[in-house]
Amino acid sequence: MMSREEVISDKMDWVTVALYIAIVFLGLLNIYAVTYDRESDISIFNLTINSGRQLLFIAGAFVIIMAILIIDMRFYETFAYIIYGLVLFLLLLVPIIGKEVGGNKAWLGIGSFGVQPSEFAKFATALAVGKYIGSVGFRMDRIRNQAILFVLIGAPMVLILLQKDTGTALVFTAFTVVFFREGMSPFLIIAGIIGAIIFVLTLMVNQYYLYTAVGMILVISILMGRKKLKRIALLTLGAIAICGIIISVDYVVSDVLKPHQQNRIKALINPDADPLGFGWNVTQSKIAIGSGGLLGKGFLQGTQTKFNFVPEQSTDFIFCTIGEEHGWVGSLVTMALFVGLLLRIIFLAERQKNRFAHVYGYSVACIFFFHFAVNIGMTIGLFPVIGIPLPFFSYGGSGLWGFTILLFILLKLDVHRMQVLQRI
Amino acid sequence: MNEGRKEIIQITFVLVGVIFLIKLFFIQVVDDRYAQLADSNAILREVDYPVRGLIKDRNGKLIVYNTPEFDLLIIHKEVKGFDSTRFCEVFAMTPADLRLKFNELKAKREYSPVKPTIFLTQLSTLDFAKIQDNIDEFQGFYIQARTTRAYREHAAANAIGYVSEISKDRLSRDKTGIYKQGDYIGQSGIEAYYEEYLRGQRGVRFKYRNVDGVEKGSFRNGAIDTLSIPGQDIISTIDLDLQSYGEYLLKGKSGSIIAIEPSTGEVLAMISGPSYDPTLLTGRHYSSNFVLISNDTNKPLFNRPLMAQYRPGSIFKIAQAMVALQEGVITEQTRIRCDRSIIDCHGPHSNEDLRGAITHSCNPYFHGVLRRMLNQGVSTNTFDDTRAGLAEWSKHISSFGFGARLGIDLPNEKGGLVPDPAYYDRAYGGRPWKFSNIYSIAIGEGENLVVPLQMANFAATIANKGFYITPHLVKAIGATGKPLPQFLEKHYTTIDSSYFRVAADAMEKVVEEGTGQYRAKLKDVIVCGKTGSVQNEPRPDHSVFIAFAPKNNPKIAVSVYVEFSGQGARAAASIASLMIEKYLYGATKRPQIEAYVLRGEFLN
């Protein structure tokens, strides 16, 4: 019989590992580039700057990887609900005993060391969702089962919203794509997308034009098709629903959303409206990225990301550094690495033999995708500013560890994918 | 059941990546607006102002130099945690002053909360050390060092000119692109005329700055920085001692004194009275002082030597004499009866030859000379004859440098007037005119107009026996050691040099035994001069005198105008001779004449 190490190294998906290492390494270099000061010339390893601390976090991530690989693969499925429950408990604790960092009470402190339970809620929820969908007797077409799925992702969402961390809470909407993959009707996603389009249109176009447009589409579709009462009634109902959304958007934007959230949406629609105020982040971010040109200004040669013009440079706006210092070519490489990783995760998920691992794989892919799309989208002004990190790139221990756990549990499951068959 | 859903998800992932890349391609590669915005964000363009050239006198004495001056700038938006008590302490001001300063700041036209605006000007050099040590405490405040003009002797204000902030109007006319708003520029005198040599060339340093405006080292290690090049020093032709002495003599009077070295055309002194203290137009109180000076009814900014146009008076008789000799209408021996029924005269004389007529400034004599000059009988029609004579006369007179700007190296020079036939045609509106209409030009009255500088140049021309070099105030620019090329060129008159000897002899006699003998005569040197009294009915005459000395190998030529001071033999002759004495001997030994001039009671 072969030793465990040999088994792991033989069956490990080294492509994913290589992509992971490449992204983490590039992230570290860019965090160094942000903190680099041409006058003091501090080493990348200096622990007083972010890049030095990130190096410690990376070391921690390797310990976590080892632990994940050593732990028996059955542990993750078996203890999925317990892990999920534990993380929910921690999330509950945060508003009570958590400490406040940067306006958000999202941290649990252990001495001087703090972690964000919300970062770990992602993999815990992925495990629980995987286990539930993979459980015997689960049927996607049953409303009760669907409802439980939404409770599973809804619970951490609500608890994270209580911490006022809207960005991380929104990440859990990514699970709807997983549900879609596992057979849920696409209606929900389509409705969500249409809702979002109407939402944005309402902000950009005068409401009365929208009402007129909806009315015209209604009349045309009634005239075009068969003139059955039921069909006409349904279409009319749909049109009234859309008008209802339009009315409620105005209410939501001006009454429900907090001023800083309103401004983020306004900045997306028209960043030039107040470039020194709420448009500052997006404007400066675009200036930094846009000034990179085709080849960029060169490593450590950036000016916008170095001199604090872009806020949150080493965390949420880390992509600006790549854009500025490495230009469009750097952007291309980064996109290729992320899209490559995402496609590779789907490939891994698809080759899993049991449903738990399959769902878990898709959960990982969708969570990464959501982070990737929203993070880069906001830096180039395609999405509103939602403070979520770029996986493996952004500075921060909890984030890096959370994403590492997500990815390497999948790799661990992948190593033993044949074993699962034997078990059954 | 879930056919194709995997592919939908895969396509979505790839599609989002591609959309991002397309959007990135537009903002990074296609649109270069962002690169410019980034530069204006992070790159600070710091101008290195050059040091303006110095101005020295002909003996190497400093006339104008630079002193450092410090302004306190404010970027209002950057002011954070402002401690007003501490600020008042460091800048030695009261809280009320400070409040006033802030109110003034916001009222300024150029005020902008994000741009540096001047908050306090001209911090004293003494306080500066203390301020510099503490400036870091006040976020949003910056010190800007400049140099300002300073003067050793408070003399030659109008000749030197002044330097002040460039006007909006001037800036819009500037096509060189050298000047920016807030720059200083020479506004008059040498400072204006030699601006391009004095100003030097500014340098630019590019520096990184962070979002708080804090400097973060040089851009590209200074590869594209340029150093400022200091302005060139200028050696003036002015003799500062003579200049100061002339101002001392002219104090309390209106008029001008110009002294020229005849052989070179170098202006030794150029005094305009009344004048002003040049230090008033530097530094903190420039604006308020400028208003005071420019509204002064005595017009201290009016540079009389170049800008005041007078009738030349009797001095013109010398020019008349030379023109007539050249034309052959008289000889030195020609005698003309002093017929005071034609034109008034003065002094006891009746039938003089040319020298006598000049010595006694005989009006009827020169009336006769001009009649012969203008009516030479080239035509039987007296109108045509006069026209031909006047054209000839005008040509000769103009060759002395009258009737047009000489081209001195100062702005705002006036040209005077030498009437020619075309002028009288215009003046008489096409009606015919003849000698009897225009004879008053014979004695330097009538339509003739000269500026004092032209009269000094005339004296220099006689001293040179027939040529002049355009008067100028700068003998060397920078390292070249040379004046501008046009100031090396000799301009010859249309008169033979032998006739200049006649003129010089006559002028010697004027001082020796004629109208100038009491006050213009010097003991050891032959002074040649001519008095003039320019009529200003009903006010007193202008007192005029031109002179040069010594007669052989002249060193100095002078013209003096003292307004409303009566006969030329009094105020002007006294001042001219004192100037000559001062220049030739370094000091004057005739206290009674000096006292007479300083007392200034020339009409009694």
Side-chain angles (χ1 to χ4, degrees):
Chain A
M1 187 157 166
M2 288 180 291
S3 71
R4 171 168 279 148
E5 278 72 33
E6 281 167 327
V7 172
I8 288 173
S9 65
D10 280 356
K11 299 195 175 158
M12 188 74 162
D13 184 55
W14 289 108
V15 175
T16 311
V17 175
L19 285 169
Y20 168 79
I21 291 172
I23 294 174
V24 168
F25 180 68
L26 286 181
L28 177 69
L29 285 184
N30 281 294
I31 290 165
Y32 176 59
V34 169
T35 32
Y36 177 78
D37 187 329
R38 69 186 69 240
E39 286 183 337
S40 51
D41 200 22
I42 298 172
S43 153
I44 191 170
F45 303 114
N46 192 315
L47 291 181
T48 61
I49 61 172
N50 282 351
S51 65
R53 286 196 290 268
Q54 182 77 354
L55 207 61
L56 278 187
F57 298 146
I58 292 171
F62 276 98
V63 173
I64 289 169
I65 291 168
M66 286 307 141
I68 289 169
L69 295 181
I70 288 165
I71 292 167
D72 192 285
M73 57 95 45
R74 276 169 297 235
F75 168 83
Y76 303 108
E77 189 173 359
T78 315
F79 288 89
Y81 292 148
I82 291 166
I83 295 169
Y84 177 75
L86 200 69
V87 170
L88 283 190
F89 176 68
L90 287 177
L91 283 174
L92 263 174
L93 279 183
V94 168
I96 303 160
I97 62 162
K99 58 179 180 182
E100 208 168 295
V101 174
N104 286 353
K105 211 175 188 185
W107 293 73
L108 272 187
I110 304 159
S112 64
F113 194 75
V115 289
Q116 279 175 287
S118 55
E119 291 298 335
F120 302 100
K122 291 168 199 163
F123 92 89
T125 309
L127 286 177
V129 165
K131 173 144 181 163
Y132 185 66
I133 293 178
S135 62
V136 183
F138 175 86
R139 287 189 55 172
M140 195 52 113
D141 52 358
R142 224 182 275 156
I143 297 290
R144 195 173 153 272
N145 287 9
Q146 280 192 17
I148 287 175
L149 278 181
F150 281 107
V151 170
L152 281 179
I153 64 169
M157 259 178 104
V158 170
L159 290 174
I160 292 168
L161 272 176
L162 288 179
Q163 304 168 8
K164 297 184 189 114
D165 188 357
T166 324
T168 308
L170 284 175
V171 172
F172 290 84
T173 59
F175 281 100
T176 53
V177 179
V178 181
F179 302 162
F180 163 72
R181 176 67 191 92
E182 297 305 320
M184 192 183 278
S185 155
F187 174 77
L188 196 72
I189 295 174
I190 293 170
I193 291 170
I194 290 175
I197 290 171
I198 293 171
F199 184 82
V200 173
L201 276 178
T202 313
L203 292 172
M204 291 169 77
V205 187
N206 188 309
Q207 288 186 23
Y208 298 100
Y209 293 143
L210 288 178
Y211 297 142
T212 317
V214 169
M216 279 165 70
I217 291 169
L218 174 68
V219 171
I220 289 167
S221 34
I222 288 171
L223 293 176
M224 295 271 284
R226 287 171 296 157
K227 292 173 182 59
K228 273 188 175 173
L229 192 67
K230 190 184 169 191
R231 188 173 160 275
I232 292 171
L234 269 175
L235 281 171
T236 314
L237 219 63
I240 291 169
I242 290 172
C243 292
I245 293 173
I246 294 169
I247 293 165
S248 58
V249 163
D250 189 52
Y251 168 74
V252 166
V253 167
S254 49
D255 294 325
V256 176
L257 292 182
K258 296 186 182 70
H260 76 276
Q261 289 166 328
Q262 290 176 22
N263 285 338
R264 283 172 182 182
I265 292 165
K266 281 184 203 156
L268 175 73
I269 310 291
N270 183 11
D272 297 332
D274 184 9
L276 295 176
F278 62 75
W280 173 267
N281 286 18
V282 177
T283 308
Q284 294 303 323
S285 163
K286 279 168 86 173
I287 289 173
I289 295 171
S291 66
L294 184 65
L295 298 173
K297 296 175 186 169
F299 183 53
L300 304 182
Q301 300 303 308
T303 56
Q304 307 303 294
T305 48
K306 213 133 283 111
F307 301 141
N308 302 326
F309 287 100
V310 184
E312 312 287 335
Q313 293 165 70
S314 34
T315 55
D316 295 347
F317 282 88
I318 187 76
F319 181 70
C320 296
T321 316
I322 304 162
E324 188 185 16
E325 297 194 346
H326 306 289
W328 190 75
V329 172
S331 309
L332 179 71
V333 170
T334 312
M335 296 299 132
L337 284 173
F338 272 101
V339 173
L341 180 69
L342 290 171
L343 294 179
R344 187 71 192 174
I345 292 170
I346 290 180
F347 169 77
L348 295 182
E350 287 292 339
R351 77 178 181 191
Q352 300 307 311
K353 303 296 183 240
N354 88 341
R355 200 147 185 216
F356 162 70
H358 184 258
V359 173
Y360 182 79
Y362 265 97
S363 300
V364 174
C366 290
I367 290 167
F368 282 178
F369 173 71
F370 188 89
H371 274 272
F372 162 75
V374 171
N375 180 280
I376 292 181
M378 81 179 176
T379 60
I380 59 180
L382 290 176
F383 285 119
V385 177
I386 295 169
I388 57 172
L390 188 60
F392 310 123
F393 244 96
S394 293
Y395 168 75
S398 298
L400 177 65
W401 293 343
F403 292 123
T404 302
I405 294 167
L406 264 173
L407 184 63
F408 277 86
I409 289 177
L410 176 64
L411 287 178
K412 173 72 178 173
L413 296 174
D414 183 59
V415 166
H416 301 286
R417 63 186 183 275
M418 295 306 170
Q419 235 169 297
V420 177
L421 264 187
Q422 290 159 12
R423 196 190 63 170
I424 294 168
Chain B
M1 164 183 163
N2 296 330
E3 281 309 301
R5 292 201 170 180
K6 173 191 146 200
E7 285 74 17
I8 289 174
I9 294 172
Q10 283 173 329
I11 290 167
T12 309
F13 286 8
V14 175
L15 206 62
V16 167
V18 171
I19 289 170
F20 284 174
L21 280 176
I22 292 169
K23 171 80 178 177
L24 284 163
F25 188 80
F26 276 101
I27 68 174
Q28 292 189 299
V29 183
V30 178
D31 195 345
D32 57 2
R33 200 162 45 107
Y34 294 104
Q36 290 161 12
L37 286 169
D39 285 351
S40 61
N41 251 351
I43 295 167
L44 183 70
R45 194 173 169 279
E46 202 178 71
V47 175
D48 184 11
Y49 288 96
V51 178
R52 201 171 168 87
L54 307 177
I55 303 177
K56 294 174 184 166
D57 94 332
R58 62 188 296 114
N59 303 315
K61 279 188 191 165
L62 264 184
I63 305 177
V64 186
Y65 61 102
N66 302 301
T67 52
E69 185 186 277
F70 305 96
D71 294 337
L72 186 70
L73 305 182
I74 183 173
I75 301 179
H76 211 165
K77 195 171 182 284
E78 294 181 3
V79 176
K80 280 165 204 154
F82 183 66
D83 180 350
S84 58
T85 324
R86 178 85 180 116
F87 188 89
C88 288
E89 189 189 318
V90 171
F91 289 89
M93 57 200 303
T94 66
D97 286 344
L98 183 63
R99 223 168 300 125
L100 189 71
K101 282 290 168 195
F102 270 108
N103 292 339
E104 280 175 12
L105 173 75
K106 284 180 186 156
K108 278 184 184 169
R109 205 148 33 102
E110 69 272 19
Y111 171 74
S112 152
V114 290
K115 282 189 195 147
T117 318
I118 289 180
F119 189 66
L120 297 174
T121 48
Q122 281 142 345
L123 308 171
S124 83
T125 352
L126 294 174
D127 294 340
F128 179 67
K130 184 181 170 198
I131 291 166
Q132 200 177 27
D133 286 343
N134 295 295
I135 189 73
D136 291 343
E137 290 176 31
F138 306 107
Q139 237 185 322
F141 288 92
Y142 304 88
I143 287 176
Q144 173 180 275
R146 277 193 294 125
T147 57
T148 186
R149 290 306 232 184
Y151 304 86
R152 270 289 148 77
E153 305 266 339
H154 298 180
N158 275 302
I160 301 297
Y162 59 95
V163 170
S164 76
E165 212 173 302
I166 189 166
S167 68
K168 282 236 162 67
D169 182 44
R170 177 80 175 73
L171 194 61
S172 63
R173 278 186 286 120
D174 174 45
K175 288 187 179 64
T176 58
I178 290 168
Y179 299 98
K180 305 267 180 305
Q181 201 183 340
D183 278 358
Y184 279 64
I185 186 170
Q187 297 284 18
S188 73
I190 290 175
E191 296 274 24
Y193 197 92
Y194 289 93
E195 168 70 15
E196 60 175 308
Y197 304 98
L198 288 167
R199 70 180 166 220
Q201 200 178 323
R202 62 173 61 199
V204 179
R205 281 188 298 264
F206 293 95
K207 286 179 172 175
Y208 283 118
R209 64 168 171 197
N210 71 6
V211 70
D212 299 320
V214 179
E215 287 170 18
K216 286 286 179 181
S218 62
F219 176 66
R220 286 198 219 153
N221 290 322
I224 56 167
D225 291 2
T226 49
L227 283 174
S228 65
I229 300 167
Q232 302 185 56
D233 291 354
I234 274 178
I235 310 277
S236 170
T237 58
I238 285 176
D239 182 311
L240 199 53
D241 290 342
L242 187 64
Q243 175 78 26
S244 300
Y245 184 63
E247 294 188 11
Y248 172 67
L249 294 179
L250 205 59
K251 192 174 271 177
K253 304 164 188 75
S254 272
S256 63
I257 307 172
I258 299 135
I260 295 175
E261 183 176 75
S263 58
T264 57
E266 292 174 1
V267 176
L268 301 170
M270 176 181 273
I271 296 118
S272 181
S275 185
Y276 61 93
D277 181 348
T279 52
L280 292 176
L281 293 186
T282 61
R284 192 197 282 252
H285 303 295
Y286 167 78
S287 315
S288 52
N289 286 340
F290 187 82
V291 171
L292 279 180
I293 291 171
S294 60
N295 288 345
D296 189 330
T297 48
N298 289 323
K299 295 191 178 173
L301 286 175
F302 184 68
N303 195 12
R304 285 178 169 73
L306 309 182
M307 297 164 76
Q309 304 190 91
Y310 304 100
R311 273 168 280 118
S314 302
I315 291 163
F316 223 49
K317 288 168 184 162
I318 298 167
Q320 303 283 18
M322 286 188 285
V323 171
L325 288 169
Q326 180 71 25
E327 286 288 306
V329 295
I330 57 163
T331 66
E332 291 177 53
Q333 285 75 39
T334 303
R335 285 178 187 274
I336 296 174
R337 200 168 61 83
C338 181
D339 181 354
R340 298 185 184 188
S341 66
I342 311 167
I343 188 165
D344 191 24
C345 199
H346 33 74
H349 61 272
S350 56
N351 193 22
E352 297 287 344
D353 64 357
L354 180 60
R355 280 168 217 244
I358 292 175
T359 312
H360 299 291
S361 202
C362 177
N363 289 339
Y365 187 94
F366 284 96
H367 177 270
V369 167
L370 188 72
R371 181 195 288 277
R372 293 182 189 195
M373 171 69 218
L374 296 189
N375 295 337
Q376 293 186 35
V378 292
S379 168
T380 50
N381 180 324
T382 178
F383 297 107
D384 291 348
D385 195 30
T386 309
R387 172 178 290 273
L390 183 70
E392 205 51 26
W393 177 86
S394 173
K395 187 192 80 189
H396 287 302
I397 294 291
S398 299
S399 78
F400 290 106
F402 292 120
R405 288 189 199 105
L406 282 170
I408 192 175
D409 46 359
L410 290 180
N412 305 320
E413 185 191 358
K414 289 279 192 299
L417 177 73
V418 173
D420 60 2
Y423 173 83
Y424 285 117
D425 286 345
R426 276 199 306 280
Y428 284 85
R431 283 173 284 123
W433 47 268
K434 55 180 181 170
F435 174 74
S436 58
N437 300 112
I438 64 171
Y439 69 84
S440 50
I441 59 172
I443 54 166
E445 299 290 341
E447 290 78 12
N448 287 305
L449 283 177
V450 295
V451 296
L453 177 71
Q454 288 170 336
M455 293 307 260
N457 186 55
F458 179 56
T461 311
I462 301 167
N464 286 338
K465 311 272 183 294
F467 73 88
Y468 67 90
I469 292 172
T470 306
H472 52 279
L473 281 155
V474 167
K475 62 184 293 180
I477 302 166
T480 64
K482 282 184 183 153
L484 293 173
Q486 67 264 35
F487 299 130
L488 294 169
E489 203 182 314
K490 287 179 179 176
H491 300 274
Y492 283 92
T493 62
T494 52
I495 311 296
D496 286 354
S497 69
S498 62
Y499 300 130
F500 280 94
R501 265 180 212 108
V502 178
D505 289 347
M507 286 169 73
E508 181 186 351
K509 278 236 155 116
V510 169
V511 176
E512 214 37 53
E513 55 197 54
T515 51
Q517 58 180 306
Y518 302 110
R519 299 189 180 89
K521 201 191 278 185
L522 293 178
K523 210 188 272 174
D524 302 318
V525 64
I526 300 173
V527 176
C528 304
K530 180 73 190 81
T531 56
S533 308
V534 180
Q535 294 164 19
N536 286 301
E537 293 298 338
R539 297 191 65 185
D541 295 349
H542 293 326
S543 172
V544 186
F545 195 78
I546 68 165
F548 63 89
K551 189 187 179 200
N552 298 313
N553 197 11
K555 294 277 178 240
I556 178 169
V558 186
S559 90
V560 178
Y561 269 76
V562 185
E563 293 177 1
F564 312 116
S565 300
Q567 296 169 19
R570 292 180 174 178
S574 309
I575 291 172
S577 68
L578 286 169
M579 289 294 283
I580 291 169
E581 192 180 9
K582 170 78 178 173
Y583 183 65
L584 294 181
Y585 301 110
T588 54
K589 294 179 191 132
R590 296 178 301 153
Q592 75 286 4
I593 299 285
E594 200 176 279
Y596 173 71
V597 168
L598 293 175
R599 201 162 56 242
E601 293 162 358
F602 305 117
L603 296 175
N604 309 321

